[in-house]
Amino acid sequence: MTSHQPLVVAAAQAAGPCPPGEEPAWQARVRALAVDLFVLGDVVARDLQRLGAATKFPATLLAVTVEETSTRGVLQLRNVSGELEVIRTDRGDSDAGAAMIGRAQTLVGRRVLVYKEMEALASNPMHKARVAVHLMDLGPETDTIGEDEAKGHVLQSADGDKDVALHAWQEAELPERGPVTAEQLGQALVRLPGVRRP
């Protein structure tokens, strides 16, 4: 048995039974599927390598936006210490980046285990950016966020501009007083100027 035989068998199974009289077309389909599976194996191996080298931390995903210039997703997270953290995805014009942005959108307001790696910037290899390589769903966030902390996060994300922060808070229709949910806080964060939602 050759090393590629299992791959060929998997491709043949994916192609389904060969219709009588269509052997050449069926064989071409099996060949194409086998090549796709071979390439996919390399992609999965790289993904698993990144995942194995990543560091992990739990957080609540508050909001997902997209940077206009880089097309990267920007994930705003509240860590277990209550601090706001920002981490980016791969570029949104890549398969991995688009998939991560889509997955992150479904997890807003939920607790997640973030797998991150440090990626050297193309413009300056001496500087590194945190990149999310995987998000594991840990379930809904049931704790609320205190008023002072929530407003502080919005003010921080507005670069200290109180008017901008207040406008975002009101536009998200958050209560003037009292705690808010993680999802409510996220609604205010995505309403800050210069933010583009996916």
Side-chain angles (χ1 to χ4, degrees):
M1 180 180 285
T2 68
S3 61
H4 298 310
Q5 192 160 350
L7 197 63
V8 174
V9 170
Q13 289 173 336
C18 177
E22 295 185 19
E23 287 79 4
W26 183 82
Q27 289 173 4
R29 171 101 174 112
V30 171
R31 287 178 65 186
L33 286 170
V35 169
D36 287 346
L37 289 172
F38 183 81
V39 172
L40 180 60
D42 282 347
V43 172
V44 171
R46 283 195 300 272
D47 288 346
L48 294 177
Q49 187 176 21
R50 287 181 82 189
L51 203 57
T55 56
K56 305 182 286 287
F57 67 94
T60 301
L61 182 54
L62 301 174
V64 180
T65 56
V66 174
E67 285 180 332
E68 293 282 356
T69 52
S70 72
T71 71
R72 290 179 185 266
V74 180
L75 313 183
Q76 295 190 64
L77 304 149
R78 179 178 180 258
N79 65 25
V80 292
S81 301
E83 298 165 333
L84 199 62
E85 287 199 39
V86 175
I87 187 168
R88 284 161 174 75
T89 68
D90 288 319
R91 289 182 59 90
D93 52 10
S94 70
D95 290 343
M100 180 60 71
I101 292 169
R103 175 160 176 73
Q105 285 179 279
T106 68
L107 296 173
V108 169
R110 298 179 70 82
R111 294 172 56 247
V112 293
L113 185 62
V114 182
Y115 288 73
K116 71 163 184 178
E117 71 172 359
M118 299 304 290
E119 180 183 281
L121 298 178
S123 59
N124 186 348
M126 298 301 292
H127 289 86
K128 294 189 175 183
R130 297 181 303 166
V131 177
V133 295
H134 182 64
L135 297 173
M136 180 179 172
D137 187 0
L138 298 179
E141 177 55 82
T142 55
D143 293 338
T144 56
I145 301 168
E147 175 188 340
D148 290 343
E149 180 190 327
K151 288 181 176 178
H153 288 324
V154 177
L155 183 61
Q156 175 188 342
S157 297
D159 295 325
D161 190 319
K162 292 181 180 178
D163 291 334
V164 169
L166 179 60
H167 180 74
W169 188 274
Q170 292 173 338
E171 195 176 46
E173 299 181 351
L174 270 60
E176 287 186 27
R177 294 279 178 265
V180 298
T181 66
E183 201 164 358
Q184 285 177 311
L185 175 55
Q187 289 299 314
L189 293 173
V190 298
R191 283 170 167 78
L192 292 169
V195 166
R196 182 165 72 87
R197 281 177 264 189

